[in-house]
Amino acid sequence: MALALLLQEHAAGAEAHEQKQQVQRLLRRLNKPPVKTIESPDGDIIDCVHITKQPAFDNPLLKNHTIQMWPSSHPRGGQLNEDYSNTASSITQTWHQNGSRSCPENTIPIRRTMEEDVRRADSPRSYGKKERRPKFTPVDGAGQPTTVTSGHQWAQASAQGGSTYYGTEATFDLWQPVVETASDFSLTQFWVVSGSYQANDLNTIEAGWQVSPNMYGDNSPRLFIYWTRDAYQTTGCYDLKCSGFVQTNNAITFGVTQLSPVSTYGGPQNDITILVWKDPKTGNWWLQVGKDLLGYWPSSLFTNLASSASNIQWGGEVYSPDAGQTSTQMGSGHLPEEGLGKASYIRNIQVVDASNTLLSPSGGLGLFASRPNCYNVLNGAAGNSFGTYIYYGGPGRNPNCQ
């Protein structure tokens, strides 16, 4: 008995040592040597890393990649067209408050990954990645494919009337939803997609805001990006936590506080406009938030998205690993029937067509809610300044949603 216990303790010690080694290897890979370091008032450490040394270039697909510092053109129309960029707002982040509103020229700001960040994840391997999205299962009783959500729930809209898309622009209401546990997350975003789960070749480009305590260590809404080329299996990650997205902006970084002020129930509403589009000349997928160009996903990262997207979606997602219905809120935490000032909205929804022009989806929007009594989505009324828009969200667990 004593020998068996000793062997168990030895094995546990060896496992802990290996785990620590994995954490340290990951930190060395993610935290590139900085040219300058800035301490944010909220405790984040911002490393100014030379633009050629950023994590993107650890990706073998980007070997010999030439950085594109500026898109060849903007989409015509929309709110963030270069002709209107002077009227768009710029992001203000907490680390700007110490007088350093940007990193030096030819560097980019990256939030330093700390050991405690990695240890909040299930494992170093899963750090910075979404939980595996649902698999499609055999047909249901009506003969239609069913989906095992595995803790994920959605309320979203999708573009109708087209077969190819080259980007999207939309304005997202900002909230601070309450999450039930540190392992839950609540987000609002767009998905630019091509491929399928069935073939494990789903490509996505994603951006928005989210509350994710395990990811960021608090309950603040933070700007994020994501991508994958194999249905979330092995590729892709949040922000710059793996090699992929090429950042060119030296004043804005992902995953830091703060996106504020947030909207208030029955009070002022605050939002951000996000644009992503495929550069007609290079094929790279550029990202702009407000008037700030942040960088791009190189076309070479993708298979299906190397040419175009087959669908675009906008809305909210909640995840909880616990059994049963979570009370984690989506958006404002109120159902869309409550309308403006109370429910969350995504307004001025547009897609980029083959002529590099922003237009409302020609066939309108298709709506999907995995559990409408928990989180729902509704089309907004036509004929106002919100253009094509939706209300979405909800409280999660409630008397009608158990």
Side-chain angles (χ1 to χ4, degrees):
M1 180 69 72
L3 179 59
L5 186 59
L6 185 62
L7 289 173
Q8 288 178 358
E9 291 175 350
H10 177 76
E15 183 177 352
H17 177 74
E18 175 58 25
Q19 181 92 343
K20 184 172 183 178
Q21 293 292 100
Q22 291 178 12
V23 170
Q24 294 305 314
R25 285 195 294 269
L26 178 62
L27 292 175
R28 286 194 295 270
R29 178 164 58 82
L30 292 178
N31 294 325
K32 305 299 185 183
V35 172
K36 178 182 179 181
T37 294
I38 300 168
E39 294 187 13
S40 176
D42 60 4
D44 283 340
I45 296 177
I46 307 301
D47 287 328
C48 300
V49 175
H50 196 277
I51 193 169
T52 62
K53 305 296 183 183
Q54 63 180 295
F57 300 114
D58 292 339
N59 195 316
L61 294 172
L62 302 187
K63 185 179 181 181
N64 301 322
H65 179 81
T66 299
I67 297 175
Q68 182 184 5
M69 291 303 297
W70 198 258
S72 66
S73 63
H74 272 70
R76 289 177 288 276
Q79 301 176 82
L80 298 184
N81 182 290
E82 57 188 343
D83 295 336
Y84 311 131
S85 61
N86 289 333
T87 63
S89 59
S90 183
I91 301 172
T92 298
Q93 296 188 317
T94 305
W95 63 275
H96 296 161
Q97 295 176 10
N98 70 356
S100 298
R101 292 194 61 84
S102 66
C103 281
E105 188 177 358
N106 293 322
T107 69
I108 64 163
I110 304 177
R111 178 181 182 264
R112 185 181 298 180
T113 302
M114 311 299 286
E115 184 171 338
E116 55 266 31
D117 294 327
V118 180
R119 293 198 177 280
R120 285 193 299 269
D122 291 337
S123 70
R125 183 182 296 274
S126 67
Y127 175 69
K129 298 182 180 296
K130 283 190 179 183
E131 294 288 334
R132 176 79 161 88
R133 288 287 293 273
K135 298 178 179 178
F136 283 88
T137 60
V139 296
D140 63 14
Q144 299 296 317
T146 60
T147 303
V148 179
T149 58
S150 302
H152 295 265
Q153 297 177 69
W154 297 271
Q156 59 185 196
S158 61
Q160 304 290 296
S163 58
T164 56
Y165 302 94
Y166 297 86
T168 180
E169 180 182 279
T171 298
F172 299 84
D173 202 9
L174 282 173
W175 293 88
Q176 188 169 0
V178 176
V179 296
E180 183 174 334
T181 74
S183 298
D184 292 12
F185 69 65
S186 179
L187 59 76
T188 291
Q189 65 169 81
F190 63 71
W191 293 261
V192 176
V193 303
S194 190
S196 69
Y197 286 109
Q198 298 96 319
N200 286 326
D201 67 348
L202 184 74
N203 288 202
T204 76
I205 287 172
E206 308 171 32
W209 60 262
Q210 71 171 330
V211 172
S212 179
N214 266 1
M215 177 64 62
Y216 302 115
D218 62 22
N219 295 297
S220 298
R222 300 184 182 227
L223 177 70
F224 79 90
I225 57 174
Y226 202 94
W227 69 276
T228 182
R229 59 179 274 163
D230 63 355
Y232 303 92
Q233 293 188 104
T234 61
T235 62
C237 62
Y238 283 112
D239 307 334
L240 304 186
K241 300 185 187 304
C242 68
S243 55
F245 185 83
V246 176
Q247 182 162 333
T248 57
N249 189 295
N250 72 338
I252 305 299
T253 191
F254 301 103
V256 300
T257 57
Q258 62 195 20
L259 284 174
S260 66
V262 297
S263 299
T264 55
Y265 184 80
Q269 303 296 289
N270 294 284
D271 51 36
I272 56 171
T273 300
I274 305 178
L275 165 66
V276 65
W277 79 101
K278 191 171 181 61
D279 189 299
K281 290 187 177 180
T282 66
N284 298 327
W285 291 87
W286 275 89
L287 176 70
Q288 183 171 339
V289 180
K291 71 177 184 180
D292 298 299
L293 275 167
L294 300 188
Y296 60 90
W297 290 269
S299 178
S300 58
L301 287 178
F302 301 105
T303 53
N304 299 303
L305 282 177
S307 55
S308 63
S310 59
N311 197 7
I312 300 180
Q313 301 157 359
W314 307 262
E317 177 182 355
V318 160
Y319 170 76
S320 176
D322 298 331
Q325 174 59 46
T326 180
S327 64
T328 287
Q329 297 175 342
M330 179 188 293
S332 68
H334 292 263
L335 290 166
E337 290 83 354
E338 296 194 39
L340 184 62
K342 298 177 180 179
S344 309
Y345 62 76
I346 303 174
R347 63 180 175 89
N348 298 117
I349 294 172
Q350 295 185 295
V351 296
V352 181
D353 68 7
S355 69
N356 201 31
T357 301
L358 278 157
L359 302 166
S360 294
S362 60
L365 300 176
L367 305 181
F368 169 75
S370 51
R371 298 198 70 191
N373 289 335
C374 308
Y375 313 103
N376 203 7
V377 57
L378 295 175
N379 278 315
N384 65 26
S385 61
F386 272 29
T388 299
Y389 70 103
I390 59 171
Y391 290 116
Y392 73 97
R397 188 172 59 245
N398 67 76
N400 296 317
C401 166
Q402 298 295 331

